Amino acid sequence: MSARLRLWLERDRRGAGYHLRDAETRERVSWEDERIRVISVAGVSFRAEAVADGSFDPGARLALVREPENEHDPNAVAVWNDARTLQAGYVPRDIASELDGSEQAVSLWRAGEGLRVLIAPREAWIGRPRR
């Protein structure tokens, strides 16, 4: 049995967002690590005002909401703020179909109209720095 994934969010020196660090080994975790997904949220240009809201600030917990009735893609997974009052966009189509619905999501990086999100297994521990 593999050990529970434990990640620290580590603020970028420029303050634009977070990098990831393994809480046990203290080694940096690449955004390409096979245990996680870091995605660019699709469709944020259509929701720029929502994405600018503080509820999408780096470090914020987010909600992944399946949309099986979506007419364009029955595998669609929407990215909402934790309160589910604002939608940022969607998990890219090629990744959405691979998700099982149990994952957790955290905003990692916001630059211009772009939003990067960490998608990790439900059982992963994600530690956020104190504000």
Side-chain angles (χ1 to χ4, degrees):
M1 184 170 151
S2 61
R4 179 181 183 198
L5 178 62
R6 295 175 52 223
L7 299 170
W8 279 111
L9 298 183
E10 183 176 72
R11 189 168 294 284
D12 171 72
R13 289 184 181 137
R14 296 170 297 198
Y18 291 101
H19 296 288
L20 303 170
R21 190 162 300 276
D22 187 298
E24 183 177 339
T25 67
R26 307 250 191 257
E27 292 187 19
R28 197 157 195 188
V29 175
S30 165
W31 285 5
E32 289 78 30
D33 189 291
E34 63 186 24
R35 300 170 295 173
I36 60 169
R37 301 257 187 188
V38 175
I39 60 140
S40 290
V41 176
V44 295
S45 62
F46 299 107
R47 297 173 180 85
E49 193 171 299
V51 173
D53 186 81
S55 61
F56 291 105
D57 283 352
R61 300 273 179 192
L62 304 176
L64 299 176
V65 180
R66 293 190 162 289
E67 293 185 353
E69 303 300 320
N70 185 303
E71 65 183 79
H72 302 289
D73 181 6
N75 293 315
V77 177
V79 178
W80 289 77
N81 62 357
D82 197 35
R84 295 186 185 196
T85 57
L86 294 171
Q87 182 183 1
Y90 288 90
V91 172
R93 181 184 298 249
D94 59 324
I95 295 170
S97 63
E98 298 175 3
L99 302 179
D100 68 16
S102 69
E103 297 84 2
Q104 58 178 310
V106 176
S107 175
L108 283 183
W109 210 273
R110 183 172 52 195
E113 290 184 353
L115 181 65
R116 293 266 180 148
V117 171
L118 165 65
I119 299 176
R122 177 190 315 228
E123 66 276 1
W125 177 85
I126 301 170
R128 294 184 291 170
R130 295 183 186 133
R131 292 187 180 231

PDB file of all heavy atoms in Angstrom, residues 5-11 13 18-31 33 35-36 108 118 125-127:
ATOM      1  N   LEU A   5      -0.416  10.759   0.028  1.00  0.00           N
ATOM      2  CA  LEU A   5       0.229  11.917  -0.568  1.00  0.00           C
ATOM      3  C   LEU A   5       0.007  13.123   0.336  1.00  0.00           C
ATOM      4  O   LEU A   5      -1.115  13.431   0.723  1.00  0.00           O
ATOM      5  CB  LEU A   5      -0.364  12.183  -1.959  1.00  0.00           C
ATOM      6  CG  LEU A   5       0.164  13.394  -2.709  1.00  0.00           C
ATOM      7  CD1 LEU A   5       1.663  13.256  -2.987  1.00  0.00           C
ATOM      8  CD2 LEU A   5      -0.608  13.564  -4.011  1.00  0.00           C
ATOM      9  N   ARG A   6       1.107  13.791   0.689  1.00  0.00           N
ATOM     10  CA  ARG A   6       1.047  14.982   1.543  1.00  0.00           C
ATOM     11  C   ARG A   6       1.823  16.095   0.859  1.00  0.00           C
ATOM     12  O   ARG A   6       3.019  15.957   0.624  1.00  0.00           O
ATOM     13  CB  ARG A   6       1.636  14.675   2.920  1.00  0.00           C
ATOM     14  CG  ARG A   6       0.813  13.648   3.685  1.00  0.00           C
ATOM     15  CD  ARG A   6       1.441  13.243   5.001  1.00  0.00           C
ATOM     16  NE  ARG A   6       1.780  14.392   5.797  1.00  0.00           N
ATOM     17  CZ  ARG A   6       2.942  14.508   6.466  1.00  0.00           C
ATOM     18  NH1 ARG A   6       3.847  13.555   6.434  1.00  0.00           N
ATOM     19  NH2 ARG A   6       3.182  15.580   7.182  1.00  0.00           N
ATOM     20  N   LEU A   7       1.133  17.175   0.530  1.00  0.00           N
ATOM     21  CA  LEU A   7       1.740  18.278  -0.204  1.00  0.00           C
ATOM     22  C   LEU A   7       1.622  19.589   0.559  1.00  0.00           C
ATOM     23  O   LEU A   7       0.587  19.874   1.156  1.00  0.00           O
ATOM     24  CB  LEU A   7       1.044  18.462  -1.560  1.00  0.00           C
ATOM     25  CG  LEU A   7       1.103  17.297  -2.532  1.00  0.00           C
ATOM     26  CD1 LEU A   7       0.169  17.562  -3.704  1.00  0.00           C
ATOM     27  CD2 LEU A   7       2.512  17.055  -3.004  1.00  0.00           C
ATOM     28  N   TRP A   8       2.701  20.369   0.509  1.00  0.00           N
ATOM     29  CA  TRP A   8       2.666  21.737   1.013  1.00  0.00           C
ATOM     30  C   TRP A   8       2.548  22.659  -0.181  1.00  0.00           C
ATOM     31  O   TRP A   8       3.198  22.444  -1.201  1.00  0.00           O
ATOM     32  CB  TRP A   8       3.969  22.103   1.727  1.00  0.00           C
ATOM     33  CG  TRP A   8       4.079  21.623   3.124  1.00  0.00           C
ATOM     34  CD1 TRP A   8       4.914  20.656   3.580  1.00  0.00           C
ATOM     35  CD2 TRP A   8       3.349  22.081   4.254  1.00  0.00           C
ATOM     36  NE1 TRP A   8       4.743  20.481   4.930  1.00  0.00           N
ATOM     37  CE2 TRP A   8       3.781  21.344   5.367  1.00  0.00           C
ATOM     38  CE3 TRP A   8       2.356  23.040   4.433  1.00  0.00           C
ATOM     39  CZ2 TRP A   8       3.266  21.543   6.634  1.00  0.00           C
ATOM     40  CZ3 TRP A   8       1.844  23.236   5.697  1.00  0.00           C
ATOM     41  CH2 TRP A   8       2.307  22.489   6.783  1.00  0.00           C
ATOM     42  N   LEU A   9       1.738  23.692  -0.065  1.00  0.00           N
ATOM     43  CA  LEU A   9       1.728  24.752  -1.056  1.00  0.00           C
ATOM     44  C   LEU A   9       2.805  25.735  -0.633  1.00  0.00           C
ATOM     45  O   LEU A   9       2.807  26.215   0.498  1.00  0.00           O
ATOM     46  CB  LEU A   9       0.369  25.448  -1.105  1.00  0.00           C
ATOM     47  CG  LEU A   9      -0.820  24.585  -1.492  1.00  0.00           C
ATOM     48  CD1 LEU A   9      -2.082  25.440  -1.558  1.00  0.00           C
ATOM     49  CD2 LEU A   9      -0.595  23.874  -2.802  1.00  0.00           C
ATOM     50  N   GLU A  10       3.721  26.017  -1.533  1.00  0.00           N
ATOM     51  CA  GLU A  10       4.846  26.902  -1.234  1.00  0.00           C
ATOM     52  C   GLU A  10       4.758  28.123  -2.142  1.00  0.00           C
ATOM     53  O   GLU A  10       4.793  28.001  -3.365  1.00  0.00           O
ATOM     54  CB  GLU A  10       6.148  26.140  -1.488  1.00  0.00           C
ATOM     55  CG  GLU A  10       7.389  26.898  -1.166  1.00  0.00           C
ATOM     56  CD  GLU A  10       8.613  26.013  -1.355  1.00  0.00           C
ATOM     57  OE1 GLU A  10       8.948  25.726  -2.527  1.00  0.00           O
ATOM     58  OE2 GLU A  10       9.204  25.620  -0.345  1.00  0.00           O
ATOM     59  N   ARG A  11       4.631  29.297  -1.532  1.00  0.00           N
ATOM     60  CA  ARG A  11       4.428  30.530  -2.301  1.00  0.00           C
ATOM     61  C   ARG A  11       5.605  30.799  -3.240  1.00  0.00           C
ATOM     62  O   ARG A  11       6.756  30.680  -2.869  1.00  0.00           O
ATOM     63  CB  ARG A  11       4.237  31.722  -1.368  1.00  0.00           C
ATOM     64  CG  ARG A  11       3.806  32.978  -2.121  1.00  0.00           C
ATOM     65  CD  ARG A  11       3.329  34.076  -1.222  1.00  0.00           C
ATOM     66  NE  ARG A  11       2.109  33.799  -0.493  1.00  0.00           N
ATOM     67  CZ  ARG A  11       0.888  33.824  -1.014  1.00  0.00           C
ATOM     68  NH1 ARG A  11       0.721  34.080  -2.278  1.00  0.00           N
ATOM     69  NH2 ARG A  11      -0.165  33.593  -0.270  1.00  0.00           N
ATOM     70  N   ARG A  13       8.161  33.069  -5.244  1.00  0.00           N
ATOM     71  CA  ARG A  13       8.877  34.271  -4.780  1.00  0.00           C
ATOM     72  C   ARG A  13       8.254  35.564  -5.279  1.00  0.00           C
ATOM     73  O   ARG A  13       8.335  36.597  -4.637  1.00  0.00           O
ATOM     74  CB  ARG A  13      10.334  34.203  -5.220  1.00  0.00           C
ATOM     75  CG  ARG A  13      11.107  33.171  -4.471  1.00  0.00           C
ATOM     76  CD  ARG A  13      12.565  33.184  -4.844  1.00  0.00           C
ATOM     77  NE  ARG A  13      13.250  32.151  -4.093  1.00  0.00           N
ATOM     78  CZ  ARG A  13      14.145  31.346  -4.596  1.00  0.00           C
ATOM     79  NH1 ARG A  13      14.502  31.459  -5.854  1.00  0.00           N
ATOM     80  NH2 ARG A  13      14.709  30.436  -3.842  1.00  0.00           N
ATOM     81  N   TYR A  18       1.501  29.294  -6.257  1.00  0.00           N
ATOM     82  CA  TYR A  18       2.163  28.292  -5.425  1.00  0.00           C
ATOM     83  C   TYR A  18       2.856  27.215  -6.242  1.00  0.00           C
ATOM     84  O   TYR A  18       2.380  26.823  -7.308  1.00  0.00           O
ATOM     85  CB  TYR A  18       1.140  27.598  -4.511  1.00  0.00           C
ATOM     86  CG  TYR A  18       0.590  28.502  -3.451  1.00  0.00           C
ATOM     87  CD1 TYR A  18      -0.653  29.080  -3.574  1.00  0.00           C
ATOM     88  CD2 TYR A  18       1.335  28.776  -2.308  1.00  0.00           C
ATOM     89  CE1 TYR A  18      -1.160  29.915  -2.588  1.00  0.00           C
ATOM     90  CE2 TYR A  18       0.835  29.608  -1.322  1.00  0.00           C
ATOM     91  CZ  TYR A  18      -0.402  30.172  -1.471  1.00  0.00           C
ATOM     92  OH  TYR A  18      -0.886  30.996  -0.501  1.00  0.00           O
ATOM     93  N   HIS A  19       3.950  26.752  -5.696  1.00  0.00           N
ATOM     94  CA  HIS A  19       4.622  25.543  -6.149  1.00  0.00           C
ATOM     95  C   HIS A  19       4.256  24.466  -5.137  1.00  0.00           C
ATOM     96  O   HIS A  19       3.674  24.762  -4.095  1.00  0.00           O
ATOM     97  CB  HIS A  19       6.142  25.730  -6.180  1.00  0.00           C
ATOM     98  CG  HIS A  19       6.585  26.761  -7.170  1.00  0.00           C
ATOM     99  ND1 HIS A  19       6.548  26.555  -8.525  1.00  0.00           N
ATOM    100  CD2 HIS A  19       7.059  28.014  -6.999  1.00  0.00           C
ATOM    101  CE1 HIS A  19       6.992  27.627  -9.149  1.00  0.00           C
ATOM    102  NE2 HIS A  19       7.304  28.537  -8.244  1.00  0.00           N
ATOM    103  N   LEU A  20       4.624  23.232  -5.425  1.00  0.00           N
ATOM    104  CA  LEU A  20       4.286  22.120  -4.539  1.00  0.00           C
ATOM    105  C   LEU A  20       5.544  21.506  -3.948  1.00  0.00           C
ATOM    106  O   LEU A  20       6.572  21.392  -4.614  1.00  0.00           O
ATOM    107  CB  LEU A  20       3.519  21.046  -5.324  1.00  0.00           C
ATOM    108  CG  LEU A  20       2.255  21.529  -6.014  1.00  0.00           C
ATOM    109  CD1 LEU A  20       1.725  20.456  -6.954  1.00  0.00           C
ATOM    110  CD2 LEU A  20       1.216  21.921  -4.997  1.00  0.00           C
ATOM    111  N   ARG A  21       5.440  21.090  -2.683  1.00  0.00           N
ATOM    112  CA  ARG A  21       6.551  20.435  -2.010  1.00  0.00           C
ATOM    113  C   ARG A  21       6.000  19.220  -1.267  1.00  0.00           C
ATOM    114  O   ARG A  21       4.947  19.295  -0.632  1.00  0.00           O
ATOM    115  CB  ARG A  21       7.239  21.386  -1.037  1.00  0.00           C
ATOM    116  CG  ARG A  21       8.547  20.816  -0.485  1.00  0.00           C
ATOM    117  CD  ARG A  21       9.436  21.876   0.107  1.00  0.00           C
ATOM    118  NE  ARG A  21       9.864  22.919  -0.800  1.00  0.00           N
ATOM    119  CZ  ARG A  21      10.911  22.838  -1.633  1.00  0.00           C
ATOM    120  NH1 ARG A  21      11.618  21.739  -1.682  1.00  0.00           N
ATOM    121  NH2 ARG A  21      11.245  23.865  -2.378  1.00  0.00           N
ATOM    122  N   ASP A  22       6.708  18.099  -1.346  1.00  0.00           N
ATOM    123  CA  ASP A  22       6.324  16.883  -0.631  1.00  0.00           C
ATOM    124  C   ASP A  22       6.563  17.114   0.853  1.00  0.00           C
ATOM    125  O   ASP A  22       7.672  17.457   1.268  1.00  0.00           O
ATOM    126  CB  ASP A  22       7.159  15.703  -1.138  1.00  0.00           C
ATOM    127  CG  ASP A  22       6.711  14.383  -0.571  1.00  0.00           C
ATOM    128  OD1 ASP A  22       6.780  14.213   0.675  1.00  0.00           O
ATOM    129  OD2 ASP A  22       6.323  13.508  -1.364  1.00  0.00           O
ATOM    130  N   ALA A  23       5.536  16.965   1.674  1.00  0.00           N
ATOM    131  CA  ALA A  23       5.642  17.257   3.106  1.00  0.00           C
ATOM    132  C   ALA A  23       6.551  16.271   3.828  1.00  0.00           C
ATOM    133  O   ALA A  23       7.121  16.610   4.861  1.00  0.00           O
ATOM    134  CB  ALA A  23       4.256  17.251   3.750  1.00  0.00           C
ATOM    135  N   GLU A  24       6.706  15.061   3.287  1.00  0.00           N
ATOM    136  CA  GLU A  24       7.549  14.066   3.947  1.00  0.00           C
ATOM    137  C   GLU A  24       9.020  14.207   3.550  1.00  0.00           C
ATOM    138  O   GLU A  24       9.891  14.288   4.404  1.00  0.00           O
ATOM    139  CB  GLU A  24       7.065  12.661   3.597  1.00  0.00           C
ATOM    140  CG  GLU A  24       7.850  11.574   4.313  1.00  0.00           C
ATOM    141  CD  GLU A  24       7.307  10.200   4.008  1.00  0.00           C
ATOM    142  OE1 GLU A  24       6.146  10.092   3.590  1.00  0.00           O
ATOM    143  OE2 GLU A  24       8.066   9.235   4.187  1.00  0.00           O
ATOM    144  N   THR A  25       9.285  14.285   2.254  1.00  0.00           N
ATOM    145  CA  THR A  25      10.680  14.323   1.782  1.00  0.00           C
ATOM    146  C   THR A  25      11.215  15.741   1.675  1.00  0.00           C
ATOM    147  O   THR A  25      12.411  15.932   1.531  1.00  0.00           O
ATOM    148  CB  THR A  25      10.802  13.661   0.407  1.00  0.00           C
ATOM    149  OG1 THR A  25      10.094  14.458  -0.561  1.00  0.00           O
ATOM    150  CG2 THR A  25      10.295  12.238   0.425  1.00  0.00           C
ATOM    151  N   ARG A  26      10.333  16.721   1.685  1.00  0.00           N
ATOM    152  CA  ARG A  26      10.660  18.137   1.514  1.00  0.00           C
ATOM    153  C   ARG A  26      11.155  18.464   0.108  1.00  0.00           C
ATOM    154  O   ARG A  26      11.623  19.555  -0.158  1.00  0.00           O
ATOM    155  CB  ARG A  26      11.699  18.603   2.545  1.00  0.00           C
ATOM    156  CG  ARG A  26      11.335  18.310   3.973  1.00  0.00           C
ATOM    157  CD  ARG A  26      11.002  19.587   4.690  1.00  0.00           C
ATOM    158  NE  ARG A  26      10.899  19.397   6.117  1.00  0.00           N
ATOM    159  CZ  ARG A  26       9.744  19.325   6.743  1.00  0.00           C
ATOM    160  NH1 ARG A  26       8.636  19.383   6.093  1.00  0.00           N
ATOM    161  NH2 ARG A  26       9.700  19.190   8.057  1.00  0.00           N
ATOM    162  N   GLU A  27      11.043  17.519  -0.808  1.00  0.00           N
ATOM    163  CA  GLU A  27      11.462  17.760  -2.192  1.00  0.00           C
ATOM    164  C   GLU A  27      10.339  18.425  -2.968  1.00  0.00           C
ATOM    165  O   GLU A  27       9.166  18.216  -2.682  1.00  0.00           O
ATOM    166  CB  GLU A  27      11.861  16.444  -2.857  1.00  0.00           C
ATOM    167  CG  GLU A  27      13.124  15.865  -2.255  1.00  0.00           C
ATOM    168  CD  GLU A  27      13.620  14.661  -3.021  1.00  0.00           C
ATOM    169  OE1 GLU A  27      13.226  14.473  -4.196  1.00  0.00           O
ATOM    170  OE2 GLU A  27      14.403  13.910  -2.446  1.00  0.00           O
ATOM    171  N   ARG A  28      10.730  19.217  -3.944  1.00  0.00           N
ATOM    172  CA  ARG A  28       9.749  19.887  -4.789  1.00  0.00           C
ATOM    173  C   ARG A  28       9.003  18.850  -5.618  1.00  0.00           C
ATOM    174  O   ARG A  28       9.577  17.872  -6.068  1.00  0.00           O
ATOM    175  CB  ARG A  28      10.461  20.861  -5.706  1.00  0.00           C
ATOM    176  CG  ARG A  28       9.545  21.868  -6.302  1.00  0.00           C
ATOM    177  CD  ARG A  28      10.346  23.048  -6.702  1.00  0.00           C
ATOM    178  NE  ARG A  28       9.441  24.149  -6.936  1.00  0.00           N
ATOM    179  CZ  ARG A  28       9.839  25.271  -7.438  1.00  0.00           C
ATOM    180  NH1 ARG A  28      11.105  25.451  -7.722  1.00  0.00           N
ATOM    181  NH2 ARG A  28       8.992  26.226  -7.637  1.00  0.00           N
ATOM    182  N   VAL A  29       7.720  19.063  -5.810  1.00  0.00           N
ATOM    183  CA  VAL A  29       6.882  18.176  -6.613  1.00  0.00           C
ATOM    184  C   VAL A  29       6.559  18.895  -7.919  1.00  0.00           C
ATOM    185  O   VAL A  29       5.994  19.994  -7.908  1.00  0.00           O
ATOM    186  CB  VAL A  29       5.577  17.796  -5.872  1.00  0.00           C
ATOM    187  CG1 VAL A  29       4.666  16.970  -6.757  1.00  0.00           C
ATOM    188  CG2 VAL A  29       5.904  17.054  -4.580  1.00  0.00           C
ATOM    189  N   SER A  30       6.928  18.276  -9.018  1.00  0.00           N
ATOM    190  CA  SER A  30       6.681  18.844 -10.336  1.00  0.00           C
ATOM    191  C   SER A  30       5.191  18.846 -10.647  1.00  0.00           C
ATOM    192  O   SER A  30       4.465  17.938 -10.250  1.00  0.00           O
ATOM    193  CB  SER A  30       7.425  18.010 -11.381  1.00  0.00           C
ATOM    194  OG  SER A  30       6.964  18.302 -12.672  1.00  0.00           O
ATOM    195  N   TRP A  31       4.742  19.826 -11.408  1.00  0.00           N
ATOM    196  CA  TRP A  31       3.353  19.869 -11.833  1.00  0.00           C
ATOM    197  C   TRP A  31       3.035  18.712 -12.773  1.00  0.00           C
ATOM    198  O   TRP A  31       1.885  18.414 -13.024  1.00  0.00           O
ATOM    199  CB  TRP A  31       3.047  21.191 -12.509  1.00  0.00           C
ATOM    200  CG  TRP A  31       2.917  22.348 -11.559  1.00  0.00           C
ATOM    201  CD1 TRP A  31       3.130  22.349 -10.207  1.00  0.00           C
ATOM    202  CD2 TRP A  31       2.533  23.672 -11.891  1.00  0.00           C
ATOM    203  NE1 TRP A  31       2.900  23.595  -9.694  1.00  0.00           N
ATOM    204  CE2 TRP A  31       2.538  24.425 -10.703  1.00  0.00           C
ATOM    205  CE3 TRP A  31       2.202  24.301 -13.076  1.00  0.00           C
ATOM    206  CZ2 TRP A  31       2.202  25.773 -10.673  1.00  0.00           C
ATOM    207  CZ3 TRP A  31       1.878  25.644 -13.045  1.00  0.00           C
ATOM    208  CH2 TRP A  31       1.871  26.372 -11.853  1.00  0.00           C
ATOM    209  N   ASP A  33       3.994  15.597 -12.050  1.00  0.00           N
ATOM    210  CA  ASP A  33       4.047  14.395 -11.213  1.00  0.00           C
ATOM    211  C   ASP A  33       2.810  13.532 -11.489  1.00  0.00           C
ATOM    212  O   ASP A  33       1.692  14.039 -11.547  1.00  0.00           O
ATOM    213  CB  ASP A  33       4.086  14.803  -9.732  1.00  0.00           C
ATOM    214  CG  ASP A  33       4.350  13.643  -8.805  1.00  0.00           C
ATOM    215  OD1 ASP A  33       3.461  12.779  -8.682  1.00  0.00           O
ATOM    216  OD2 ASP A  33       5.429  13.607  -8.199  1.00  0.00           O
ATOM    217  N   ARG A  35       1.120  11.568  -9.686  1.00  0.00           N
ATOM    218  CA  ARG A  35       0.144  11.418  -8.594  1.00  0.00           C
ATOM    219  C   ARG A  35      -0.904  12.524  -8.578  1.00  0.00           C
ATOM    220  O   ARG A  35      -1.905  12.435  -7.868  1.00  0.00           O
ATOM    221  CB  ARG A  35       0.873  11.395  -7.250  1.00  0.00           C
ATOM    222  CG  ARG A  35       1.874  10.257  -7.127  1.00  0.00           C
ATOM    223  CD  ARG A  35       2.726  10.408  -5.893  1.00  0.00           C
ATOM    224  NE  ARG A  35       3.564  11.611  -6.001  1.00  0.00           N
ATOM    225  CZ  ARG A  35       4.323  12.096  -5.035  1.00  0.00           C
ATOM    226  NH1 ARG A  35       4.345  11.482  -3.848  1.00  0.00           N
ATOM    227  NH2 ARG A  35       5.053  13.166  -5.211  1.00  0.00           N
ATOM    228  N   ILE A  36      -0.661  13.577  -9.342  1.00  0.00           N
ATOM    229  CA  ILE A  36      -1.547  14.744  -9.346  1.00  0.00           C
ATOM    230  C   ILE A  36      -1.800  15.190 -10.784  1.00  0.00           C
ATOM    231  O   ILE A  36      -1.194  14.686 -11.714  1.00  0.00           O
ATOM    232  CB  ILE A  36      -0.923  15.926  -8.565  1.00  0.00           C
ATOM    233  CG1 ILE A  36       0.420  16.318  -9.207  1.00  0.00           C
ATOM    234  CG2 ILE A  36      -0.779  15.588  -7.094  1.00  0.00           C
ATOM    235  CD1 ILE A  36       1.011  17.611  -8.717  1.00  0.00           C
ATOM    236  N   LEU A 108      -3.885  27.160  -7.849  1.00  0.00           N
ATOM    237  CA  LEU A 108      -2.436  27.284  -7.662  1.00  0.00           C
ATOM    238  C   LEU A 108      -1.870  28.587  -8.199  1.00  0.00           C
ATOM    239  O   LEU A 108      -0.946  29.147  -7.624  1.00  0.00           O
ATOM    240  CB  LEU A 108      -1.696  26.144  -8.387  1.00  0.00           C
ATOM    241  CG  LEU A 108      -1.686  24.785  -7.757  1.00  0.00           C
ATOM    242  CD1 LEU A 108      -0.834  23.842  -8.600  1.00  0.00           C
ATOM    243  CD2 LEU A 108      -1.181  24.822  -6.328  1.00  0.00           C
ATOM    244  N   LEU A 118      -4.670  22.689  -9.115  1.00  0.00           N
ATOM    245  CA  LEU A 118      -4.184  21.382  -8.684  1.00  0.00           C
ATOM    246  C   LEU A 118      -5.387  20.473  -8.499  1.00  0.00           C
ATOM    247  O   LEU A 118      -6.350  20.839  -7.817  1.00  0.00           O
ATOM    248  CB  LEU A 118      -3.444  21.514  -7.351  1.00  0.00           C
ATOM    249  CG  LEU A 118      -3.172  20.216  -6.579  1.00  0.00           C
ATOM    250  CD1 LEU A 118      -2.214  19.304  -7.346  1.00  0.00           C
ATOM    251  CD2 LEU A 118      -2.647  20.526  -5.189  1.00  0.00           C
ATOM    252  N   TRP A 125      -3.387  14.989   1.466  1.00  0.00           N
ATOM    253  CA  TRP A 125      -3.382  16.104   2.409  1.00  0.00           C
ATOM    254  C   TRP A 125      -2.684  17.261   1.727  1.00  0.00           C
ATOM    255  O   TRP A 125      -1.578  17.107   1.200  1.00  0.00           O
ATOM    256  CB  TRP A 125      -2.665  15.708   3.690  1.00  0.00           C
ATOM    257  CG  TRP A 125      -2.565  16.816   4.679  1.00  0.00           C
ATOM    258  CD1 TRP A 125      -3.496  17.181   5.601  1.00  0.00           C
ATOM    259  CD2 TRP A 125      -1.467  17.730   4.838  1.00  0.00           C
ATOM    260  NE1 TRP A 125      -3.048  18.263   6.323  1.00  0.00           N
ATOM    261  CE2 TRP A 125      -1.803  18.615   5.875  1.00  0.00           C
ATOM    262  CE3 TRP A 125      -0.244  17.882   4.200  1.00  0.00           C
ATOM    263  CZ2 TRP A 125      -0.963  19.637   6.283  1.00  0.00           C
ATOM    264  CZ3 TRP A 125       0.610  18.901   4.609  1.00  0.00           C
ATOM    265  CH2 TRP A 125       0.238  19.765   5.641  1.00  0.00           C
ATOM    266  N   ILE A 126      -3.319  18.428   1.724  1.00  0.00           N
ATOM    267  CA  ILE A 126      -2.737  19.612   1.091  1.00  0.00           C
ATOM    268  C   ILE A 126      -2.670  20.708   2.131  1.00  0.00           C
ATOM    269  O   ILE A 126      -3.695  21.223   2.579  1.00  0.00           O
ATOM    270  CB  ILE A 126      -3.559  20.054  -0.134  1.00  0.00           C
ATOM    271  CG1 ILE A 126      -3.615  18.911  -1.156  1.00  0.00           C
ATOM    272  CG2 ILE A 126      -2.950  21.304  -0.759  1.00  0.00           C
ATOM    273  CD1 ILE A 126      -4.580  19.150  -2.287  1.00  0.00           C
ATOM    274  N   GLY A 127      -1.460  21.046   2.537  1.00  0.00           N
ATOM    275  CA  GLY A 127      -1.249  22.066   3.549  1.00  0.00           C
ATOM    276  C   GLY A 127      -1.044  23.424   2.917  1.00  0.00           C
ATOM    277  O   GLY A 127      -0.246  23.582   2.002  1.00  0.00           O
TER     278      GLY A 127
END
